[in-house]
Amino acid sequence: MDRLERLLDLVHVLQTAREPVPLSAIKERFPDYDDGAEESMRRKFERDKAELARIGIMLRYVDDEDLGTGYSVDTEASYLPAITLDEAERAVLATAAQAALSDSGFPHRRPLRLALAKLGAAPEEDAHAAVQMSHGAPDALEDHGRVESLGEALTTRKRVKIQYRKPGANDATEREVDPYGLFLRRGAWYLVAFDHRTREVRMFRLSRIEDAVVNTKKPGTPDFEVPSSFDLAAMMQTSPLEYHVHERLAVKIRVDPDVAFLVERSWGSPDADGVFHVETTYLDYLVDQVIRLGLRAEILSPPEAREAIGAALRKVAKAHGVPTGEMIEDGFDWGMGF
C-alpha cells in the first residue's frame, strides 16, 4: 500500500467509525503500521497525521467515558460549514466563475470547476462568449502553470530556486527565494519573496522567471516562516515605480501643465518649471507612463532614461512598420537618440 492510499483509507476508517478508533485498532487495520517496533509505528502514524493536517484534515485524540478512547476526524477543524445560496447568488457566482474560466491565463481552473459543481453553480458552457476578461499585459496567458507551482510552494512554505532574467540582461541569474505571496496586477503575475542573495523582500515578475524548482526535501516540513509583519495587501498597493527591477535612478521629466494632473498622484508635484523629479527602480514602467502622455512629456535626464524611451519608441515603430525617419519628420523625435 502506497502512502496516498493509506492516508485515504485512514480518513475513511476514522470518518465512518461510530466511536474513536484506538491506535491498536489502527495498527491491526493497516499492515504498514505493523512492520517494526512500537516507537517506529508511532512515528509513522505521526508523520501521516502531519501530512493530513497539511492538506486540511485534522485528527484529534479523544479520551471520553461515553465516546471512548482513540482517534477521530475533527470535522469542525477540517471542514467549512455548509453554504446556502439562493438562485440569484448562484447565478452571480457562476457568472464570475465563467469570467475566470474563459480566461486562458487563469490558474487553478480544474479546482474552480470542481468547487462550482459542489455548489451546484457550474457555469454554462455556451456562456463564455458573453463574458470576457481583459488584462493590460499578455503575461497571464503563459504564467498560469507557474502560478500553480509557486502557489503550492507558498502554501507549503518550501524554498524555491529560480532563474530570473532582468530586463535587458543577457543571462538569467539564479536565486533562492522564500515565497511570501502572489498577486495579479494589470495582467502580470508577481511573486513577492525573500531573496537570499540580496537579503531583502523583492518582487519578481513571473514572465521573467525562466525556471522554478521547488525544494522537495522533507515535504511535510516548512523551510521558512512568513514574518508576522509581512502585509501582502500593502505590497500590492506599492507603486510599480518601486518594484526592484533596475538600479535606483533619478529621472527628470518635463510635462505640459495641461496634463500634469494626470501623473501628480504617481510622481508627486512638479517644480516651478513644470519638471517632475521621479526616483524609480523600474525604469521600463516609468518609460511606459511617459509614452502614454505623447508629445506632452519629455524625459530630460539622465541619458540612460532617454535611451530607454528611444528604444521603446523604436520598437513601437518597428511593430507598426513605420520607418524611424518618418517618425522624426512627423514630429515624434523627442530627442531620444533616433
Side-chain angles (χ1 to χ4, degrees), residues 11-28:
V11 171
H12 176 71
V13 168
L14 297 181
Q15 274 190 321
T16 55
R18 295 179 177 274
E19 56 189 23
V21 181
L23 194 57
S24 58
I26 294 176
K27 182 179 178 181
E28 292 177 0

Side-chain angles (χ1 to χ4, degrees), residues 12 27 74 124 129 155 205 235 310 336:
H12 176 71
K27 182 179 178 181
D74 188 339
E124 297 292 335
T155 302
R205 189 161 173 159
M235 295 290 291
M336 303 304 170

Side-chain angles (χ1 to χ4, degrees), residues 143 145-151 153 158-164 172-177 179 182 191 204-206 208-216:
D143 289 341
R146 192 146 290 156
V147 170
E148 293 188 8
S149 61
L150 289 173
K158 299 301 290 183
R159 189 158 296 155
V160 183
K161 188 174 292 185
I162 65 174
Q163 296 287 334
Y164 190 73
T173 58
E174 184 174 278
R175 323 258 187 122
E176 277 197 333
V177 300
L182 283 164
L191 168 70
F204 301 93
R205 189 161 173 159
L206 261 63
R208 299 193 182 109
I209 296 178
E210 298 184 350
D211 191 29
V213 180
V214 181
N215 178 29
T216 57

Side-chain angles (χ1 to χ4, degrees), residues 28-245:
E28 292 177 0
R29 173 66 176 77
F30 296 93
D32 287 8
Y33 289 139
D34 194 19
D35 59 355
E38 187 73 17
E39 186 60 28
S40 175
M41 178 266 182
R42 287 184 176 275
R43 285 199 299 269
K44 180 178 287 188
F45 180 69
E46 289 300 322
R47 287 196 295 270
D48 284 353
K49 277 177 57 184
E51 179 63 18
L52 289 173
R54 187 185 70 82
I55 60 177
I57 301 176
M58 310 298 295
L59 305 187
R60 66 188 179 103
Y61 182 75
V62 179
D63 187 358
D64 187 276
E65 291 184 1
D66 297 326
L67 297 176
T69 301
Y71 290 91
S72 64
V73 174
D74 188 339
T75 55
E76 291 186 2
S78 303
Y79 306 116
L80 294 173
I83 298 176
T84 302
L85 301 173
D86 59 30
E87 290 302 317
E89 290 170 330
R90 290 176 186 274
V92 170
L93 182 61
T95 301
Q98 184 61 61
L101 292 172
S102 62
D103 174 14
S104 59
F106 184 79
H108 307 296
R109 296 162 63 84
R110 183 171 178 273
L112 177 57
R113 286 190 177 278
L114 290 174
L116 288 171
K118 290 180 180 179
L119 290 174
E124 297 292 335
E125 291 296 333
D126 59 354
H128 72 277
V131 183
Q132 297 180 0
M133 288 187 71
S134 176
H135 292 309
D139 292 6
L141 298 177
E142 302 175 359
D143 289 341
H144 61 278
R146 192 146 290 156
V147 170
E148 293 188 8
S149 61
L150 289 173
E152 178 67 17
L154 189 156
T155 302
T156 56
R157 300 196 300 280
K158 299 301 290 183
R159 189 158 296 155
V160 183
K161 188 174 292 185
I162 65 174
Q163 296 287 334
Y164 190 73
R165 186 190 299 272
K166 284 188 174 183
N170 294 325
D171 300 305
T173 58
E174 184 174 278
R175 323 258 187 122
E176 277 197 333
V177 300
D178 298 340
Y180 286 179
L182 283 164
F183 68 91
L184 180 68
R185 183 167 185 170
R186 296 184 179 178
W189 282 99
Y190 291 90
L191 168 70
V192 183
F194 179 79
D195 184 353
H196 286 267
R197 191 182 74 161
T198 63
R199 308 301 299 174
E200 293 179 330
V201 176
R202 308 291 288 267
M203 290 190 197
F204 301 93
R205 189 161 173 159
L206 261 63
S207 61
R208 299 193 182 109
I209 296 178
E210 298 184 350
D211 191 29
V213 180
V214 181
N215 178 29
T216 57
K217 295 180 180 178
K218 298 181 179 179
T221 304
D223 293 335
F224 62 91
E225 291 294 332
V226 179
S228 58
S229 59
F230 176 72
D231 186 346
L232 180 61
M235 295 290 291
M236 291 170 62
Q237 296 303 317
T238 301
S239 168
L241 293 172
E242 294 298 318
Y243 290 2
H244 293 277
V245 179

